Amino acid sequence: MSFKKIAGFIVTTGFVVLCVTACFAQDATSQPPAAAQPTPDAQQQEEKLKLERKATALLEQVVGEAQSLKLPDNRIRVQINAADMFWDRNSGRARGLFTDAGVGLAQMTVDVDRADREDVQNLSRLRRELVLTAARHDAELGYQLLRSTQPPTSTGNEGNGRRFIVDPQTNLEQNLLAAIAATDPKVAYQKASESLDKGEYPTALARVLAQLQTKDQEAFTKLSDKALSKLNPNSILTNRDATTLTMGLLSPGPRLADTSTKTVDTATTASGNRILSESAYHDLLDNAITAALSVTSLGAGNNNFRGGGRGGFRMQQPNPQTQPDDAQVQQNNARMLLFSLQTMLSQIDQYLPERSQAVRQKLTELGINNNQVAAIGQMRTLMQQGTSDALVAAANVAPPQMQTRLYQQAAQKAIDEGNADRATQIANDHLDESGRNTIMQAIDFKRTATTASAEKLDEIKQKLARLPSDSDRVKFLIELSDATQKDNPKLALRFLDDARNLVNRKATSYKDFDDQLKVAHAFARLDPKRSFDVLEPGIAQLNELLAAAQVLNGFEVQVFIEGEMPLQGGSDLGGMIGHFGQELASLSKLDFERARATADKFQFAEPRLMSKLAIVQTVLGVQQVVIDNGFRNQNFRVFTR
């Protein structure tokens, strides 16, 4: 080919390439832009919304299924919980459910057998749950339900002559006032202020002030000034509610002002919120001491002071046919104040030292062992939140019968803190041979867990074999898995598989069920599928136990009422079913469909509904809390975000 032809070919080819390139460029510019890829945050939000839609649909299903329940209190509890969870998504639907629950509760109030104390108290708890749950969303709705469900006035003669109060209206009103303070502080301020104007002393006032302190400083100042102006020695002595309110304000101590930043400490202590300034605290403490020092005796026939026990002393119940006169009321209140002040001697020493000797002298005069009671109060707090050194310090001054337990807890706390040497020292200095052996074994196992590896499996097997029970082995294997899951997840799974083999048999006690739950919970961090595999055999056995309990009901067990299991529990079996439901709920965020399908494996309607409610609560971000229901040793759950 000649040079001229070659040159012509190159030019022609170049032109074609340019044309093709231009066409592609033009085509590319004429194409609509590709859809923007969603960001990881957007994807997570979409997944969250999808999961919440599934949970809401499941909640509608639960509400529908609950209509077939026989027990009205079961239906009402489902309505209350469903309304609570619907509120942020469909307030009209939620309001309707709250209203339906109120209508059902009002009918129960008419039908209840007032000679049956248990039925009356169950009705009272249900009423509290309804009123307080609704009030967190709408204060006026809470008050409407309070009025519409009010029981008939008690004659005081129900229950075969036994005198007791059926859900005192004032008690629930106080709890309602505290509940709305968190969501509607202005309404709470108005209600509390009106009560003070009428000469009443709301026992919930401290909780109202705690909310106002952070949400409405002006209202807080007005209300606290009004309350403190009325809490003088005379009113504290003559009004039991004023006595209770005074101690509720004093027990936590004063709030502390930071002069460098001009901020205020609003910390919550074990006994409540710090509400009063130091000057206000000083003045109210002075008034309380003045009132307490007016006590003249322990008052045989009125009060019995007893060391130990809940509250430390027991108030004798008055004769229902007689009422104490004014002098007796004042002496009773003075005694209660004095007993309360003995647990606050360190605060009196700090903020009102000039009166501490008078308080101690009065306690000695009446023969009250203030050191022991104060130590018990201090130790309760330390056992819950103290360090190992703090526990040792408390044990050094504790009554002899409590020292061993405190030293044992101090040593275990030191192990948890990662200080094996300190734990060894405490054990050697303060524990007997059995206690030392227990602590030394715990130290040994802790070290093994933190250094676990595949090379040490033989050593680990030997340690497992020396443990006294399968339950102890399960606990140790879970600790080993926790310690290795970050660096060696395969080894961590191996430890959990060994634990699963130990619990993969028919439970013979509730402890066995607890161990199944622990293993299932541990698997959730590594392989959620295996969590469900652990739970399902347990649910199958719970079905068998429920069927057996239904046959035996009324003989040796009492799990069912009118053939139906109460949703609020009340039995060990019902409580264990609740634990399985909560574990399914925690897994629902990882695998919603499997959690729902596993809940359906409960053969009885009540545990299915309980488990599904727990799943919905978890997915929608509703947390369970326990609210004091006014009855000793009994609590019920409500829900809050």
Side-chain angles (χ1 to χ4, degrees):
M1 184 182 296
S2 67
F3 175 78
K4 186 178 293 185
K5 288 184 178 181
I6 293 173
F9 175 78
I10 293 174
V11 171
T12 304
T13 304
F15 178 76
V16 171
V17 169
L18 287 175
C19 290
V20 171
T21 302
C23 290
F24 274 115
Q26 184 177 2
D27 184 63
T29 57
S30 64
Q31 296 276 343
Q37 292 297 317
T39 65
D41 288 344
Q43 287 180 330
Q44 290 177 1
Q45 183 63 21
E46 178 58 32
E47 289 298 321
K48 180 175 180 293
L49 292 175
K50 185 186 299 184
L51 192 59
E52 289 180 354
R53 285 193 291 269
K54 290 181 179 180
T56 303
L58 181 58
L59 184 57
E60 286 285 7
Q61 177 188 333
V62 169
V63 172
E65 292 179 2
Q67 300 309 306
S68 62
L69 294 173
K70 299 176 184 177
L71 296 179
D73 46 331
N74 276 350
R75 295 195 299 271
I76 290 169
R77 278 196 165 87
V78 172
Q79 289 169 337
I80 294 170
N81 294 334
D84 191 28
M85 290 181 278
F86 268 128
W87 190 273
D88 290 340
R89 292 158 180 81
N90 188 340
S91 61
R93 176 84 166 107
R95 193 179 295 274
L97 287 168
F98 276 131
T99 302
D100 291 344
V103 171
L105 187 60
Q107 185 60 49
M108 283 184 66
T109 301
V110 174
D111 297 339
V112 70
D113 178 5
R114 299 198 171 274
D116 190 322
R117 185 183 182 90
E118 185 175 349
D119 282 355
V120 171
Q121 290 189 352
N122 178 57
L123 178 63
S124 175
R125 290 193 295 271
L126 191 59
R127 183 178 180 229
R128 283 172 177 267
E129 187 173 349
L130 170 63
V131 171
L132 298 181
T133 305
R136 281 200 314 277
H137 301 291
D138 186 319
E140 184 53 39
L141 178 60
Y143 277 100
Q144 288 175 7
L145 292 169
L146 177 75
R147 293 188 292 269
S148 66
T149 59
Q150 184 171 355
T153 303
S154 171
T155 64
N157 296 318
E158 296 86 345
N160 298 322
R162 295 182 64 187
R163 184 174 186 269
F164 62 94
I165 300 174
V166 181
D167 188 21
Q169 183 77 0
T170 54
N171 189 26
L172 182 52
E173 285 179 352
Q174 296 305 314
N175 282 276
L176 175 56
L177 182 61
I180 65 173
T183 55
D184 199 336
K186 291 187 180 298
V187 172
Y189 165 76
Q190 179 184 352
K191 297 284 186 183
S193 184
E194 290 173 354
S195 294
L196 289 171
D197 289 338
K198 292 187 290 186
E200 300 169 351
Y201 296 88
T203 55
L205 186 63
R207 285 176 283 176
V208 174
L209 287 171
Q211 292 294 333
L212 292 176
Q213 191 174 19
T214 58
K215 297 181 178 180
D216 191 332
Q217 189 63 37
E218 181 181 358
F220 165 76
T221 301
K222 290 180 180 179
L223 188 60
S224 58
D225 288 348
K226 177 180 285 192
L228 292 171
S229 69
K230 294 178 179 293
L231 291 174
N232 53 60
N234 182 61
S235 65
I236 293 172
L237 279 177
T238 57
N239 189 298
R240 171 55 59 86
D241 287 340
T243 308
T244 303
L245 174 59
T246 297
M247 295 314 304
L249 292 170
L250 290 175
S251 295
R255 69 179 192 266
L256 305 176
D258 185 342
T259 55
S260 64
T261 60
K262 303 300 182 183
T263 60
V264 174
D265 168 32
T266 58
T268 301
T269 68
S271 55
N273 292 86
R274 294 175 172 180
I275 296 169
L276 304 179
S277 65
E278 285 195 43
S279 61
Y281 186 85
H282 176 282
D283 293 343
L284 183 58
L285 183 59
D286 193 29
N287 288 343
I289 292 173
T290 298
L293 293 180
S294 68
V295 66
T296 57
S297 70
L298 293 186
N302 288 323
N303 285 351
N304 286 332
F305 281 79
R306 299 184 179 181
R310 188 173 183 180
F313 74 94
R314 182 178 299 168
M315 296 290 295
Q316 289 189 346
Q317 294 299 321
N319 187 328
Q321 304 303 322
T322 62
Q323 293 294 328
D325 59 29
D326 291 345
Q328 290 173 322
V329 168
Q330 292 182 23
Q331 281 295 296
N332 279 339
N333 290 341
R335 293 180 194 111
M336 189 176 84
L337 274 170
L338 184 64
F339 187 84
S340 299
L341 288 173
Q342 71 178 320
T343 65
M344 297 175 53
L345 288 174
S346 61
Q347 289 164 280
I348 296 173
D349 290 338
Q350 181 177 358
Y351 298 104
L352 207 61
E354 63 271 21
R355 306 209 67 180
S356 62
Q357 184 56 39
V359 175
R360 285 181 167 84
Q361 183 176 341
K362 179 64 71 170
L363 291 168
T364 302
E365 177 186 322
L366 298 180
I368 302 173
N369 186 351
N370 58 77
N371 291 330
Q372 180 173 346
V373 175
I376 291 173
Q378 180 188 30
M379 282 182 284
R380 276 202 199 102
T381 302
L382 286 172
M383 288 161 69
Q384 294 175 352
Q385 51 190 318
T387 63
S388 57
D389 288 339
L391 285 166
V392 170
N396 291 337
V397 297
Q401 65 271 22
M402 298 187 67
Q403 286 183 330
T404 299
R405 182 185 174 193
L406 279 169
Y407 285 128
Q408 186 97 24
Q409 288 193 332
Q412 185 60 55
K413 188 73 172 180
I415 296 173
D416 296 339
E417 293 167 350
N419 193 342
D421 292 340
R422 178 60 171 150
T424 302
Q425 180 187 7
I426 296 170
N428 289 334
D429 291 346
H430 302 291
L431 298 179
D432 60 18
E433 183 178 359
S434 175
R436 284 196 301 273
N437 289 340
T438 299
I439 292 301
M440 297 311 294
Q441 185 183 63
I443 292 172
D444 183 33
F445 277 85
K446 185 73 172 181
R447 285 172 174 163
T448 301
T450 56
T451 60
S453 64
E455 293 74 22
K456 294 186 176 183
L457 287 179
D458 288 339
E459 177 187 346
I460 290 170
K461 288 178 181 178
Q462 293 174 8
K463 291 182 184 296
L464 285 168
R466 292 198 299 267
L467 286 171
S469 69
D470 281 349
S471 185
D472 291 316
R473 295 182 185 96
V474 167
K475 179 182 177 183
F476 183 44
L477 285 165
I478 291 174
E479 290 176 356
L480 290 168
S481 176
D482 289 342
T484 56
Q485 65 174 317
K486 181 179 179 181
D487 297 327
N488 194 339
K490 289 184 178 180
L491 182 60
L493 276 173
R494 180 172 176 176
F495 288 135
L496 288 184
D497 280 331
D498 289 343
R500 178 184 173 185
N501 290 333
L502 292 173
V503 301
N504 193 22
R505 54 181 169 76
K506 204 159 192 174
T508 58
S509 68
Y510 287 116
K511 178 61 177 171
D512 291 342
F513 280 121
D514 279 332
D515 288 339
Q516 291 176 8
L517 289 168
K518 290 175 183 176
V519 174
H521 191 74
F523 264 127
R525 297 187 288 269
L526 293 167
D527 188 349
K529 179 182 178 300
R530 299 193 208 187
S531 295
F532 291 108
D533 293 340
V534 173
L535 291 175
E536 288 177 357
I539 291 175
Q541 188 177 354
L542 288 172
N543 286 332
E544 295 175 2
L545 293 174
L546 278 172
Q550 191 176 48
V551 174
L552 289 171
N553 202 66
F555 288 86
E556 294 187 5
V557 296
Q558 190 67 45
V559 176
F560 293 83
I561 298 175
E562 298 180 13
E564 192 168 284
M565 189 181 77
L567 294 185
Q568 85 275 17
S571 67
D572 290 338
L573 183 56
M576 185 53 63
I577 289 169
H579 292 323
F580 269 75
Q582 289 298 323
E583 192 59 40
L584 287 176
S586 68
L587 290 167
S588 63
K589 284 194 169 184
L590 303 174
D591 190 338
F592 182 87
E593 298 300 339
R594 181 78 183 269
R596 180 172 59 181
T598 306
D600 279 328
K601 292 184 181 295
F602 280 110
Q603 295 174 358
F604 287 74
E606 301 89 340
R608 284 201 306 271
L609 293 176
M610 288 169 58
S611 300
K612 289 177 180 178
L613 275 176
I615 289 171
V616 175
Q617 289 154 10
T618 297
V619 171
L620 297 184
V622 180
Q623 297 178 342
Q624 288 188 343
V625 296
V626 177
I627 287 186
D628 180 16
N629 61 24
F631 295 103
R632 186 175 179 178
N633 295 333
Q634 294 180 7
N635 291 306
F636 65 86
R637 290 173 175 174
V638 296
F639 309 97
T640 183
R641 282 172 183 77

